[in-house]
Amino acid sequence: MKLSKFIFITLILLSSFGCKKKEVSESDFEKNVINNVFIEIVDSIYMDRRTVLPPPPPPRLDPKTNERDTIAHKEILKKYWHEQDSIKKDKNRILIAVYDFIENNKIKDDKFDLTPFKKNKKYDFQYMSKFPEERFWDINDKKSSLPVGTISISKIHFNKTKTSGTLKASASCGGGRCGRGFEITIKNRSGEWHISKIIDTWVS
């Protein structure tokens, strides 16, 4: 009787260990995939509050003279395009805030690991928790030390063969005035994961 009980407990423990090992490997698989496609996702969807605003509108018609101050407007446009060129030529890394947790049906799940991207030459990724709530950001302030925008991503839902998957992502320039949501399809092509389709899901 004691031997049977011992065998039964041993089988349960082995079964539990096997399931746990499987979960860890699946988690590692998903993390590897995210690490493979994250930069491509950022390149495709990120919003830069320094460049998101359009050029200044034409000057209003002066009711007294029935004319527009085109000379002043030309100077304003010149300054605007000069700033845009400076931003494009800027070799400094672009500061982007990444939401700390990968979302799973709006429930905080795993913390997103930014370690693999610390040495990225184009982007400086920092956790969103280091900064004020983005609704308080002034998107008109181009010289602020705040990030130029934010990124959040969800867990990946893979197909049965794990050769493709879908995830949700969002990007914002802060200030509560701009934001977009996306459904992103990724596929494994010759051992490398890449985006195959991006669908806009919402705009604010």
Side-chain angles (χ1 to χ4, degrees):
M1 185 72 178
K2 289 183 178 180
L3 181 61
S4 299
K5 189 175 181 180
F6 173 78
I7 294 172
F8 177 73
I9 293 172
T10 303
L11 288 172
I12 290 176
L13 289 172
L14 288 172
S15 175
S16 175
F17 176 77
C19 290
K20 187 175 182 181
K21 186 176 180 181
K22 183 179 179 181
E23 288 176 4
V24 170
S25 68
E26 287 180 356
S27 175
D28 287 343
F29 175 78
E30 182 172 358
K31 287 178 182 178
N32 287 334
V33 174
I34 289 176
N35 290 345
N36 271 266
V37 297
F38 182 64
I39 298 299
E40 189 176 351
I41 289 173
V42 175
D43 281 337
S44 302
I45 71 171
Y46 92 95
M47 303 176 74
D48 190 329
R49 62 190 174 83
R50 300 172 300 171
T51 60
V52 71
L53 295 177
R60 293 181 180 179
L61 191 68
D62 188 330
K64 294 181 180 180
T65 62
N66 202 34
E67 294 180 354
R68 302 177 191 273
D69 189 354
T70 55
I71 296 175
H73 183 61
K74 284 181 180 178
E75 288 300 315
I76 293 172
L77 279 178
K78 184 179 179 181
K79 182 180 178 182
Y80 171 83
W81 290 117
H82 177 73
E83 288 177 347
Q84 295 300 303
D85 287 339
S86 297
I87 292 168
K88 291 177 181 178
K89 294 175 181 177
D90 189 358
K91 299 299 181 182
N92 291 322
R93 297 166 74 202
I94 301 170
L95 177 58
I96 294 180
V98 180
Y99 275 84
D100 298 38
F101 293 90
I102 295 173
E103 291 190 4
N104 181 16
N105 297 324
K106 297 183 179 180
I107 298 174
K108 286 184 178 179
D109 194 2
D110 298 326
K111 187 165 185 176
F112 187 65
D113 185 10
L114 291 176
T115 306
F117 314 106
K118 288 295 182 183
K119 295 182 180 180
N120 186 271
K121 293 181 179 180
K122 183 177 180 180
Y123 301 110
D124 176 13
F125 297 113
Q126 300 291 332
Y127 287 117
M128 183 63 204
S129 58
K130 292 183 177 180
F131 305 100
E133 289 184 46
E134 60 174 296
R135 61 193 175 97
F136 298 121
W137 297 4
D138 180 6
I139 64 171
N140 295 296
D141 184 1
K142 297 180 176 65
K143 297 181 180 179
S144 172
S145 59
L146 290 171
V148 301
T150 70
I151 293 283
S152 69
I153 60 172
S154 74
K155 290 182 70 66
I156 303 172
H157 296 279
F158 293 99
N159 63 352
K160 290 183 179 180
T161 57
K162 291 189 176 180
T163 54
S164 69
T166 59
L167 68 146
K168 297 184 185 300
S170 66
S172 170
C173 64
R177 291 173 56 187
C178 61
R180 296 173 67 190
F182 309 89
E183 182 179 272
I184 301 173
T185 302
I186 57 175
K187 289 188 177 181
N188 188 327
R189 297 169 180 167
S190 302
E192 294 185 359
W193 288 88
H194 292 286
I195 295 172
S196 65
K197 183 169 62 175
I198 299 179
I199 300 174
D200 288 14
T201 55
W202 58 266
V203 178
S204 66

